[in-house]
Amino acid sequence: MMEELQQFGSLSVAHRTGGAPVELLRSKDEVVFLAFDNRIRRLVELHVLRGGGTLDAALKRSAFDRARQASEIRGHAFMRILEVGEDQGLVYYTSNLNDGEYAEEYVKRRGALSAPTTLAMVYSLLDDLLQLQGYQRLVSHMRLDRVLITTLEDTFLQLRVVDYGLSQMDGADDTRDKTRLVVETCRLLFLLLSGQPYFGENPDKILILTQLPMSLRISIRTALTDPDNAPSSIEKLRDDVREAFSALASGAQARNLRKQLVVNGPLMPQSQLQDLLLENVPVETILGTRFRVEDSDQARRYPFSIPAINVKADQPVTVHLLPPSRIVEKTRYEAVPLQMWRFNPDRHPNILRSLSLWESPDWTFLTEEREPGFALSRLMAERITLNTTEVLVLMRQIRAGLEQAVECGVQRVDLHPSNILLRVGKNGPLQSRELERLMQKRLDAWPVFMVKLRPHMTMRSLYEPLLVDMDVVESQQMEEHLQNRDFRHRSFVTLAAYVLTGERQSGGVPQFSETVPDAAAMYVRECVELTRRAGKTPPPVEFLEKFESLLSAPTVDLATRLRGSGSSVAIEEMESVGSVSDFEDDWSHDEADGAGGEVAISPVKRGMKTHQFNPLAEQKSAFPWGVLAAAAAVVIVGVAWMLMGGSKPAPAAPAVASSVAEGPGGSASVPAATTPKKAEEQTKAVSVMARTPVPNPQPQPAPVPAVQPPAVTSVAVTPATQAEGPAPAPAVVAVPTPPEPEKPAGTVAASTSAPAVTPAPDRPASPPEAAPPAVTSPTKDPVTIRRAIVPSKEEIDRMKQGHVENHTDKVPSVSTASPLPPQRRENP
């Protein structure tokens, strides 16, 4: 039955020249064929469990469950399962087409690998295994004794698991399965390091094994000589491999795992698929005399994409080999779109042009122009992910390429990373080195580059899995042009999610890095979810505009993100476990007042009113003793300042005239102004005034000056009566006051700059006749002091804090608001 197999469900099985199906060697418990899936239009591997035998109900159910789990795995180290089904009593599954060389055949052909390269490959494999935390049932049945050595984007070496053990029953002993995985990994290490399989020899006699650290040496020796007592911890084995790599790799640059896996000529694994499809015919023989292979190593490195020279035109081109009709029928795919004759290089710069198409009964040759640069898949293998700015730069050109492809008549373009070329750099002997340096830089820091989309078919396009499904189930009822438009939209969104995350997320939830804003990441997740519904995906223009606006949106604070948009948090969920507050007395007094009305409750504690941090005097209703104490301190300092100061005498008279205002209490006030620079003149003025007799006329209002000084209030201390003997001169202190209220009738004001003064609260007001007379000039106009001596803001702040210092370094001045005592007149 297997020899005559032609069609298996929706799969068309490939055949050799003689008519036998093309069989692949994967697992000893499975029969694997090369087939073409007509639904997704891709070359796949058809795995039939138990060699085509029947399975009982328990094994069939177990195989189905584990195969569905395996279909969710997205990793370069694992075979990707695409479909699971049953046909004619046979249980099968399909996977992507894997190309490479098995480890045993690879070592037999080229010999042992270096220790750093071997340890780097095995460490990557073990690390990927440990990432599958939720698939322990699947991981425990994987086979690591027969792994495939392949390349990642034709650049880095990679170990790939191709046997999931789905033909085996579930094991009851999980520890035994983990021990088996450790033993198979140690056998793989022995094979790659020594260059030969293990046949029971003593590991301590292998020179390369004796150079390993003690921990890894003991693990390998125990696993090879006594498998039943081998360790069962895969995580510990991975750590031992990492430690050995750090010990054997020299230099900081060499300790980078990725640098040890770069492929060169001797390390390149041979392509089994190329030998299988070409049937061991050399590439040079197939190309004939039309093309000359530029480099044999490059031809083996890219088995179906060969850099060559067109002999007739002496032009560098890329030759793509397409499969013959016995592998894939010509009617199943279109090598070059029929309407590509509309292509214009000037109008469509983002389209990669195909030059010629040669068809034969066995093979099809397709040539395209070769320009400096590399594919997007190569950049993703080096960078893993791109940041948001690079994604915008890249996706804008891809959007333009899709629009140009529609103008050329190409309705569907496969937006796979291998079909997107970045044209950058220049030809020459240093091209490879320049491109490697360029890959380490950001795309927005590159020189001018061009993104080119490949609209025609290649062999890699026939076996690489799509980023997005061809058509969802709902879209099958739509018209063809609507299906094509929806496919473009879904492909564009899926590609944007891929370059942001670095993983092909069809079937999973994208996980973005911390550099992507939460709003933008949420929007991309929503769009990826919409790709699974027909006709719901936004077009590329709308997607880019929305994505760019979310990148420049203001950052939401942590409290809003925790609370969520448009949602309120219940008070019960925000209650405090306990708190100590300095304002608990204030809140306790206010609780009784707010008990009757509606009080705004803070989310910190129940029954606690919101508190605004105003000055303490505005919150308490008690008597403001603190303010009075500060005012008393200001008065004392002002008295000391005014008693030691003086004023500048008038040039025509020895007496100093000032504006006097008599209030209800009979006290007088006058603003005085002195400066430390004229201290000597003020001292002389005081001496002259002491010798001059002062008359005592009736007080009269002074004329209002042209320029009014700022309003001040003079607080005066009422002098003692004449019966008490000579009293000291009253102290006058000027402090700023708010605008003066309306005065009652009968109040006489001398000037707007000298308002009425109320007596001190602790002494009774003196009668009007006891008020000291004002000093006036008989012949000259009165002189008004222009500004008052007011303590600075810094001094007032220090006074309020209790840090008052004696200003002994200042020049003293004397106030002339009242006559000097008689005893001072006798002094010269």
Side-chain angles (χ1 to χ4, degrees):
M1 176 181 178
M2 292 300 175
E3 288 76 8
E4 300 175 356
L5 188 62
Q6 299 288 335
Q7 195 75 21
F8 196 90
S10 61
L11 305 174
S12 299
V13 181
H15 291 80
R16 294 180 180 272
T17 306
V22 179
E23 188 174 351
L24 305 174
L25 298 178
R26 293 292 181 261
S27 173
K28 60 182 180 181
D29 299 326
E30 300 173 354
V31 179
V32 184
F33 300 100
L34 178 64
F36 184 78
D37 194 335
N38 299 301
R39 184 180 62 86
I40 62 175
R41 302 176 187 177
R42 286 294 184 272
L43 281 168
V44 297
E45 297 180 3
L46 172 61
H47 299 251
V48 182
L49 300 184
R50 287 293 177 94
T54 58
L55 280 74
D56 55 4
L59 180 57
K60 184 182 300 184
R61 183 169 54 254
S62 175
F64 270 104
D65 293 342
R66 284 179 289 161
R68 291 191 181 96
Q69 285 186 356
S71 63
E72 301 175 1
I73 296 178
R74 301 290 186 271
H76 300 291
F78 305 102
M79 174 180 58
R80 181 179 177 182
I81 293 182
L82 304 175
E83 182 184 1
V84 184
E86 182 179 6
D87 185 82
Q88 301 178 7
L90 302 177
V91 179
Y92 71 94
Y93 67 91
T94 60
S95 69
N96 64 306
L97 186 57
N98 301 278
D99 190 18
E101 193 174 4
Y102 284 105
E104 187 172 351
E105 300 174 358
Y106 179 80
V107 170
K108 185 184 299 183
R109 179 180 60 85
R110 67 162 312 279
L113 293 174
S114 64
T117 303
T118 299
L119 296 174
M121 284 197 302
V122 174
Y123 175 82
S124 299
L125 176 62
L126 294 177
D127 190 62
D128 290 340
L129 279 175
L130 291 176
Q131 297 298 325
L132 305 179
Q133 298 292 337
Y135 304 92
Q136 293 299 328
R137 183 183 178 189
L138 177 65
V139 172
S140 61
H141 291 81
M142 289 183 177
R143 310 290 300 187
L144 303 182
D145 55 348
R146 187 174 175 81
V147 295
L148 198 67
I149 297 181
T150 182
T151 58
L152 177 61
E153 300 301 335
D154 303 319
T155 306
F156 304 103
L157 288 174
Q158 180 78 47
L159 293 176
R160 182 170 298 172
V161 179
V162 294
D163 187 0
Y164 288 162
L166 298 180
S167 297
Q168 303 295 326
M169 283 293 297
D170 289 340
D173 192 357
D174 185 55
T175 304
R176 185 174 181 179
D177 292 332
K178 292 182 178 180
T179 302
R180 178 185 58 81
L181 292 176
V182 172
V183 172
E184 292 178 355
T185 305
C186 292
R187 287 180 174 271
L188 179 62
L189 282 170
F190 184 89
L191 172 66
L192 297 177
L193 290 174
S194 63
Q196 59 184 3
Y198 177 72
F199 292 115
E201 57 269 23
N202 188 3
D204 294 333
K205 293 183 178 181
I206 306 298
L207 180 60
I208 186 63
L209 297 181
T210 58
Q211 298 177 0
L212 299 177
M214 184 60 66
S215 179
L216 184 59
R217 284 177 55 190
I218 294 175
S219 299
I220 294 177
R221 183 197 309 149
T222 305
L224 295 179
T225 59
D226 191 6
D228 296 335
N229 297 324
S232 60
S233 176
I234 302 177
E235 185 175 3
K236 182 180 182 303
L237 181 61
R238 183 201 60 176
D239 296 339
D240 293 342
V241 171
R242 177 68 184 187
E243 179 185 0
F245 175 80
S246 301
L248 296 179
S250 59
Q253 187 73 12
R255 289 174 185 163
N256 188 355
L257 291 172
R258 184 62 66 88
K259 296 299 181 182
Q260 297 294 328
L261 300 178
V262 176
V263 175
N264 51 28
L267 290 178
M268 174 61 65
Q270 288 185 351
S271 172
Q272 290 184 346
L273 190 60
Q274 184 186 35
D275 296 339
L276 186 65
L277 298 183
L278 296 180
E279 296 183 344
N280 297 323
V281 178
V283 176
E284 293 79 3
T285 304
I286 295 178
L287 295 180
T289 59
R290 298 189 187 96
F291 305 101
R292 182 178 69 253
V293 179
E294 196 172 45
D295 189 357
S296 59
D297 291 338
Q298 295 290 333
R300 194 176 61 206
R301 182 173 180 177
Y302 307 98
F304 301 101
S305 179
I306 304 170
I309 302 291
N310 190 343
V311 177
K312 184 177 180 180
D314 196 18
Q315 178 185 9
V317 296
T318 301
V319 180
H320 293 280
L321 301 181
L322 297 178
S325 301
R326 57 183 175 85
I327 303 296
V328 182
E329 295 182 5
K330 301 292 184 181
T331 58
R332 301 296 183 182
Y333 67 92
E334 189 177 21
V336 179
L338 296 178
Q339 297 183 1
M340 273 301 294
W341 56 269
R342 299 180 181 178
F343 173 78
N344 187 345
D346 297 331
R347 293 182 55 190
H348 311 119
N350 297 107
I351 301 297
L352 186 64
R353 179 175 56 174
S354 59
L355 301 177
S356 60
L357 180 65
W358 304 78
E359 294 185 354
S360 65
D362 292 334
W363 284 94
T364 300
F365 303 93
L366 189 149
T367 61
E368 68 181 18
E369 55 184 353
R370 180 155 56 98
E371 297 178 334
F374 45 83
L376 177 62
S377 57
R378 174 68 181 88
L379 179 64
M380 294 299 297
E382 186 74 30
R383 295 279 303 278
I384 307 301
T385 59
L386 302 180
N387 56 42
T388 54
T389 306
E390 294 175 303
V391 171
L392 287 176
V393 173
L394 180 68
M395 299 305 292
R396 287 194 184 102
Q397 293 201 43
I398 294 177
R399 182 197 65 187
L402 287 177
E403 296 174 354
Q404 296 168 17
V406 174
E407 293 181 5
C408 295
V410 183
Q411 298 296 325
R412 291 200 177 198
V413 177
D414 184 8
L415 291 183
H416 193 274
S418 62
N419 288 333
I420 301 175
L421 300 177
L422 308 179
R423 186 190 183 281
V424 64
K426 57 184 178 180
N427 292 317
L430 299 179
Q431 178 184 359
S432 300
R433 183 178 300 179
E434 291 177 356
L435 296 182
E436 290 178 1
R437 292 178 180 177
L438 203 60
M439 291 178 192
Q440 305 300 327
K441 298 180 181 180
R442 294 164 53 103
L443 289 180
D444 49 350
W446 281 12
V448 179
F449 70 97
M450 184 68 65
V451 177
K452 289 183 172 291
L453 307 183
R454 179 184 286 129
H456 45 269
M457 187 63 63
T458 64
M459 183 66 183
R460 189 168 183 175
S461 301
L462 288 173
Y463 70 82
E464 282 281 356
L466 284 169
L467 290 180
V468 65
D469 295 335
M470 289 292 291
D471 290 306
V472 294
V473 179
E474 295 84 355
S475 64
Q476 296 178 359
Q477 308 297 329
M478 302 168 57
E479 298 181 5
E480 184 178 1
H481 72 281
L482 296 179
Q483 291 182 10
N484 297 333
R485 185 183 65 179
D486 186 51
F487 179 78
R488 292 194 301 269
H489 297 175
R490 292 188 293 118
S491 301
F492 187 84
V493 172
T494 308
L495 178 64
Y498 168 71
V499 296
L500 284 170
T501 60
E503 295 294 337
R504 301 172 183 177
Q505 297 293 339
S506 58
V509 179
Q511 300 296 327
F512 298 90
S513 61
E514 297 179 356
T515 58
V516 182
D518 295 340
M522 186 179 301
Y523 176 70
V524 176
R525 289 193 186 99
E526 294 175 357
C527 293
V528 170
E529 185 65 28
L530 292 177
T531 57
R532 302 183 178 96
R533 301 168 58 187
K536 301 298 182 181
T537 309
V541 177
E542 179 183 344
F543 174 80
L544 283 183
E545 291 179 355
K546 181 68 174 178
F547 181 73
E548 187 174 5
S549 64
L550 292 176
L551 293 181
S552 59
T555 306
V556 183
D557 57 347
L558 179 61
T560 306
R561 281 165 35 196
L562 293 177
R563 184 168 59 248
S565 58
S567 61
S568 59
V569 181
I571 301 298
E572 292 79 8
E573 300 178 3
M574 297 294 293
E575 287 186 355
S576 176
V577 179
S579 62
V580 179
S581 176
D582 295 336
F583 305 96
E584 192 157 354
D585 295 338
D586 305 331
W587 286 321
S588 61
H589 289 304
D590 297 337
E591 282 181 3
D593 300 338
E598 184 176 355
V599 182
I601 302 300
S602 172
V604 178
K605 186 177 180 181
R606 281 186 177 276
M608 195 175 284
K609 294 182 64 178
T610 57
H611 183 79
Q612 298 183 1
F613 293 93
N614 296 325
L616 188 61
E618 298 179 10
Q619 299 178 20
K620 295 187 177 181
S621 60
F623 194 77
W625 294 103
V627 177
L628 292 181
V634 173
V635 170
I636 294 173
V637 174
V639 169
W641 183 278
M642 300 297 295
L643 286 177
M644 301 301 295
S647 61
K648 184 177 180 180
V656 180
S658 61
S659 299
V660 180
E662 185 177 354
S667 61
S669 65
V670 59
T674 58
T675 58
K677 297 181 180 180
K678 300 181 179 181
E680 185 177 356
E681 298 179 3
Q682 294 175 356
T683 306
K684 293 179 180 180
V686 172
S687 301
V688 173
M689 288 169 30
R691 299 189 186 94
T692 305
V694 181
N696 189 11
Q698 292 297 330
Q700 55 186 359
V704 179
V707 179
Q708 300 180 1
V712 295
T713 301
S714 300
V715 181
V717 180
T718 306
T721 58
Q722 297 178 359
E724 296 176 356
V732 180
V733 179
V735 294
T737 60
E740 182 183 0
E742 184 179 357
K743 296 182 180 181
T747 303
V748 180
S751 173
T752 56
S753 61
V757 180
T758 58
D762 54 347
R763 294 187 181 184
S766 300
E769 56 274 11
V775 180
T776 58
S777 176
T779 58
K780 299 292 183 179
D781 293 336
V783 178
T784 304
I785 306 302
R786 287 180 295 178
R787 70 182 182 88
I789 299 177
V790 182
S792 64
K793 184 177 183 302
E794 183 179 1
E795 293 175 345
I796 294 177
D797 294 339
R798 288 202 302 266
M799 294 173 190
K800 290 182 180 180
Q801 297 177 4
H803 301 285
V804 182
E805 300 178 358
N806 295 329
H807 301 273
T808 57
D809 54 341
K810 301 296 181 66
V811 178
S813 60
V814 178
S815 176
T816 58
S818 59
L820 296 176
Q823 61 270 21
R824 292 190 178 182
R825 297 178 183 177
E826 300 175 359
N827 296 332

